[in-house]
Amino acid sequence: MSTKRALERTLADLEGFEEPRVDLEQYPTPADLAANLLHLADLQGDIAGRTVVDLGAGTGILAIGAALRRAGRAVGVERDVDALAVARRNASRVEPAVAVDWIRGDATRLPLCPDSPVTVVMNPPFGAQRGRRHADRAFLETAAEIGGVSYSIHNADSHDFVEAFAADEGGTVTHAFAAILDVGRQFPFHEEETRAIDVEVFRVEWDRSPDVEGESA
Ligand code: SAH
């Protein structure tokens, strides 16, 4: 297992969004935050040998980082074809080489029903724009459906929301840590050169019964 520092250095070399789309809230996950999240997940036994699914994979940093930490299988789901092109380039130039399965699609309507629990990692849209508050809810719903466990990044004021959502779905928040998401000035309405957004990362264990909904018991 590489050190957290080494992982961060590798991830810091990845390309960001070429023309970030504001409607999809395309903010790249900073390398230090991605490395922190993945390192914690790996220490918990949630990465190595597991299927790891990155929802809203963007430029692929979390899926690629999971593959570098020897996920059994790494999958990135992203709806924007241009972001996926960057993610593919990133996966092919990273050292050592990694394999990631990229899927173009809506991460909130996944036609997937894995037969063993997966680890979900995600930095979903927060719903910051145009009053789409808690756009991350639909992503958490997917995590609850497919995840044995999930790691997700949310706005700093999301603690009660994530706790309550998890409780409703029979899940448990086992870890939470605060972090800062530095984003460059990438949209015209950003006035400063860089902005620091306070975020919180949550690990949730989902109670996923072995019977898939719709199947006979
Ligand atoms: N972790 C990534 C992306 C974070 S931004 C990175 O660091 O690059 C959130 C991403 O979610 C964007 O790439 C956006 O295009 C994608 N996205 C937004 N809504 C989506 C949806 N419904 N299905 C799949 N991807 C979505």
Side-chain angles (χ1 to χ4, degrees):
M1 176 170 84
S2 62
T3 63
K4 186 167 80 170
R5 271 273 187 212
L7 179 64
E8 180 181 333
R9 274 197 300 272
T10 304
L11 297 179
D13 281 342
L14 301 184
E15 262 179 73
F17 292 101
E18 273 181 341
E19 289 180 30
R21 281 178 55 178
V22 66
D23 58 324
L24 292 175
E25 293 191 47
Q26 291 184 331
Y27 292 94
T29 312
D32 60 338
L33 179 51
N36 278 336
L37 184 155
L38 291 165
H39 188 72
L40 169 67
D42 206 8
L43 290 177
Q44 296 296 316
D46 294 328
I47 302 286
R50 304 276 302 236
T51 296
V52 180
V53 179
D54 180 0
L55 299 179
T59 58
I61 189 168
L62 292 175
I64 291 167
L68 286 167
R69 281 299 178 92
R70 300 187 195 289
R73 183 178 179 205
V75 181
V77 184
E78 168 60 50
R79 78 179 340 174
D80 177 27
V81 69
D82 295 330
L84 271 183
V86 177
R88 277 180 207 284
R89 278 205 297 277
N90 277 334
S92 66
R93 67 182 220 189
V94 83
E95 298 254 0
V98 292
V100 177
D101 295 328
W102 302 109
I103 298 177
R104 185 176 179 205
D106 185 343
T108 67
R109 291 165 207 275
L110 273 194
L112 289 178
C113 241
D115 58 5
S116 57
V118 304
T119 298
V120 170
V121 292
M122 59 182 180
N123 180 13
F126 297 162
Q129 295 304 316
R130 286 179 275 124
R132 290 167 50 225
R133 207 168 130 73
H134 287 316
D136 38 1
R137 171 183 287 275
F139 281 72
L140 279 175
E141 278 165 5
T142 306
E145 271 168 35
I146 67 167
V149 63
S150 67
Y151 293 80
S152 52
I153 303 171
H154 302 267
N155 259 340
D157 64 358
S158 300
H159 205 108
D160 292 348
F161 158 68
V162 175
E163 289 265 3
F165 180 89
D168 278 353
E169 299 287 331
T172 312
V173 175
T174 63
H175 296 66
F177 66 88
I180 294 194
L181 200 160
D182 278 318
V183 287
R185 181 177 186 281
Q186 54 173 6
F187 298 126
F189 57 83
H190 287 167
E191 281 162 13
E192 309 91 355
E193 277 307 304
T194 61
R195 294 199 314 157
I197 303 176
D198 289 317
V199 295
E200 195 157 2
V201 182
F202 298 92
R203 176 182 186 272
V204 184
E205 282 176 8
W206 301 101
D207 175 23
R208 196 167 164 278
S209 65
D211 282 326
V212 173
E213 216 179 306
E215 273 182 12
S216 56

